Amino acid sequence: MDVPYFVEVDEARRIASDALANLTPCEVEHVALGAAHGRILATDLRSLVDDPPFDNSAMDGFAVRASDVPTIPATLPVQSTVAAAAHEDQAPLQPGHAVRIMTGAPMPSGADAILPIERCDVGEDEVTLNAPVRTGFVRKQGENLQKGTVGLSAGAYLTPAKVGLCATMGHPDVPVVKRLNVAVIPTGDELRPAGEPLRHGEVYESNSHGLVGLVRAMGHEATHHPAVEDTLDGLRAALDAAAESSDMIVTSGGVSMGEWDLVRRLMEEEGDLRYWRVKIRPGSPPLFGLWKGTPLFGLPGNPVSSHVVFRLLVADAIRAWTGAHGPRETTVRARLLDPVKSTKDCLTLRRVTVALVDGEMVARQPRHQGSGNLESLASADALTLLPPGASGEAGEIIDVLLL
Ligand code: AMP
Ligand code: MG
């Protein structure tokens, strides 16, 4: 077999992203801001306005000319009040006067300082300033973003703060990458949907629920398929239908060496297989290829494996294909408090909890680490990124990928 076999993670990522780069590029659509959360920005977005659009007060207080108040306390007549939505043209600040001003209200011309209200005694028509006046508490026009500058780059994952920034920049809608439709297909004769009684030898099908959630969390659509039985004909029919109706197929189960590992057999015999097996543990059996022109990731059946392989390989491929910079993968350094078993030739992903203890990030491995133990993943905060051959001894400082 001349298909790359048991490849490094980087090599697997490169093979998949090269294959995806040869497919039709993702389409772009415009969505209103109300629907933009979690989407991927398709082009750079420039600000249509200065932010802020005008010089304004950062505090509730009094606008003055600093040079009018060389010493304190000083009492000045209050010329007028300016509220946040002051539209009409304001009179300039008269020499020796103060203007009562609210947060966000435009600075009267001639004023260069704000004294916060809590540092003043407010009288009937006058105010006594009790603290030295410095030029400050003024938010200058364009100090955050100038009109025409790029506030968000293509590929940005639109978090709530970024959606807010789109509005600040004056965009009512934004160009985003059209959502991919990812078919999630679990395979295995032994799988039953939760809610049905289990017969001896059966387990509840869980992988698809995790995988659908992972796809959606990346801003894409997942189609949740029922489990397919382990027959070549049944599997072929399910893949054909998914290739027709989706942009990418993610299967779980059936990619190991066994006789019943039919996803692998079908991809080898009838598909366009690009790699099989990757140097990660857990999760070494995955494959990637094209089925009737549609990219297909065959993930392992073990519940922990299917999840971590998605995080390491499928998420990376989706980001590469869509040009996305997020959702961000966050890696931190943590000191191991428990020894963690590494492997000779694989990147080892153990499930750990992390916490800040005395200013230091520490990682514990409280659970039995079988790749079938989904509870060990559900209760974990992070995955170790132990390079092949690392010692994994207690006390070592290692990289962990936050879940
Ligand atoms: P396989 O990769 O098909 O040999 O499956 C490996 C292990 O994962 C077996 O114990 C399966 O029962 C289990 N498994 C496979 N698919 C799923 C699934 N969708 N949900 C839960 N467990 C699964
Ligand atoms: Mg199976």
Side-chain angles (χ1 to χ4, degrees), residues 229-286:
E229 287 182 1
D230 291 320
T231 67
L232 279 177
D233 288 344
L235 195 57
R236 187 187 297 110
L239 297 187
D240 283 349
E244 277 292 310
S245 60
S246 50
D247 303 305
M248 180 183 275
I249 304 171
V250 174
T251 64
S252 79
V255 289
S256 303
M257 319 259 189
E259 200 181 328
W260 292 104
D261 289 318
L262 299 183
V263 176
R264 174 189 51 77
R265 239 185 85 188
L266 211 53
M267 282 300 288
E268 275 175 355
E269 291 171 7
E270 300 175 31
D272 177 0
L273 187 62
R274 299 296 176 88
Y275 69 70
W276 177 39
R277 302 198 69 222
V278 179
K279 292 183 179 174
I280 48 178
R281 198 56 89 70
S284 57

Side-chain angles (χ1 to χ4, degrees), residues 211-337:
L211 296 170
V212 161
L214 287 164
V215 169
R216 291 185 181 151
M218 296 191 73
H220 297 285
E221 276 168 26
T223 307
H224 196 169
H225 289 257
V228 180
E229 287 182 1
D230 291 320
T231 67
L232 279 177
D233 288 344
L235 195 57
R236 187 187 297 110
L239 297 187
D240 283 349
E244 277 292 310
S245 60
S246 50
D247 303 305
M248 180 183 275
I249 304 171
V250 174
T251 64
S252 79
V255 289
S256 303
M257 319 259 189
E259 200 181 328
W260 292 104
D261 289 318
L262 299 183
V263 176
R264 174 189 51 77
R265 239 185 85 188
L266 211 53
M267 282 300 288
E268 275 175 355
E269 291 171 7
E270 300 175 31
D272 177 0
L273 187 62
R274 299 296 176 88
Y275 69 70
W276 177 39
R277 302 198 69 222
V278 179
K279 292 183 179 174
I280 48 178
R281 198 56 89 70
S284 57
L287 60 78
F288 170 78
L290 301 173
W291 180 261
K292 313 265 157 90
T294 300
L296 179 148
F297 280 93
L299 307 188
N302 276 309
V304 173
S305 307
S306 70
H307 193 104
V308 304
V309 172
F310 186 101
R311 282 293 297 261
L312 256 73
L313 301 179
V314 186
D316 183 80
I318 290 177
R319 280 192 298 269
W321 198 13
T322 57
H325 304 152
R328 204 180 288 156
E329 294 282 62
T330 307
T331 302
V332 299
R333 305 275 292 159
R335 183 184 298 278
L336 281 170
L337 291 192

Side-chain angles (χ1 to χ4, degrees), residues 340-360:
V340 167
K341 201 164 147 245
S342 65
T343 50
K344 197 168 80 260
D345 45 10
C346 290
L347 177 70
T348 307
L349 304 146
R350 303 287 176 207
R351 279 76 71 200
V352 290
T353 57
V354 293
L356 256 184
V357 175
D358 298 333
E360 186 187 41

Side-chain angles (χ1 to χ4, degrees), residues 4 11 16 24 30 48 54 56 65 79 81 105 133 150 170 195 249 259 285 288 301 312 327 335 377 382:
E11 171 79 346
T24 334
H30 280 75
L48 302 177
F54 48 87
N56 67 90
R65 195 180 279 106
Q79 172 185 328
T81 295
V133 172
V150 173
I249 304 171
E259 200 181 328
F288 170 78
L312 256 73
R335 183 184 298 278
L377 181 69

Side-chain angles (χ1 to χ4, degrees), residues 1-205:
M1 184 168 84
D2 46 12
V3 170
Y5 175 77
F6 203 37
V7 295
E8 309 262 346
V9 171
D10 286 347
E11 171 79 346
R13 288 177 166 172
R14 193 187 54 72
I15 292 171
S17 64
D18 285 355
L20 293 167
N22 286 323
L23 303 179
T24 334
C26 298
E27 290 172 46
V28 175
E29 63 184 357
H30 280 75
V31 296
L33 291 192
H37 176 228
R39 303 297 298 270
I40 307 299
L41 192 64
T43 59
D44 288 351
L45 208 60
R46 293 175 188 278
S47 188
L48 302 177
V49 292
D50 283 335
D51 172 35
F54 48 87
D55 291 357
N56 67 90
S57 172
M59 307 289 275
D60 288 330
F62 290 85
V64 296
R65 195 180 279 106
S67 58
D68 284 352
V69 196
T71 54
I72 47 139
T75 300
L76 304 181
V78 176
Q79 172 185 328
S80 59
T81 295
V82 41
H87 284 302
E88 60 267 43
D89 283 345
Q90 293 180 59
L93 179 68
Q94 296 165 35
H97 283 66
V99 167
R100 176 92 198 255
I101 195 164
M102 311 302 159
T103 304
M107 288 293 284
S109 70
D112 57 10
I114 299 288
L115 202 66
I117 189 109
E118 53 272 28
R119 297 182 199 166
C120 304
D121 287 329
V122 185
E124 191 85 332
D125 297 316
E126 55 182 37
V127 59
T128 300
L129 312 179
N130 294 322
V133 172
R134 285 174 289 110
T135 46
F137 299 127
V138 179
R139 304 190 285 215
K140 299 297 254 181
Q141 176 170 349
E143 74 177 16
N144 303 330
L145 265 183
Q146 282 175 2
K147 182 176 173 177
T149 52
V150 173
L152 287 169
S153 305
Y157 175 77
L158 294 174
T159 58
K162 290 190 172 78
V163 175
L165 182 57
C166 296
T168 298
M169 296 194 291
H171 296 277
D173 51 48
V174 284
V176 293
V177 174
K178 211 164 169 208
R179 284 191 165 113
L180 298 176
N181 185 353
V182 180
V184 173
I185 308 178
T187 73
D189 286 339
E190 75 284 21
L191 306 174
R192 286 287 157 265
E196 290 184 9
L198 287 180
R199 286 174 304 187
H200 183 65
E202 296 177 340
V203 295
Y204 286 128
E205 193 285 301

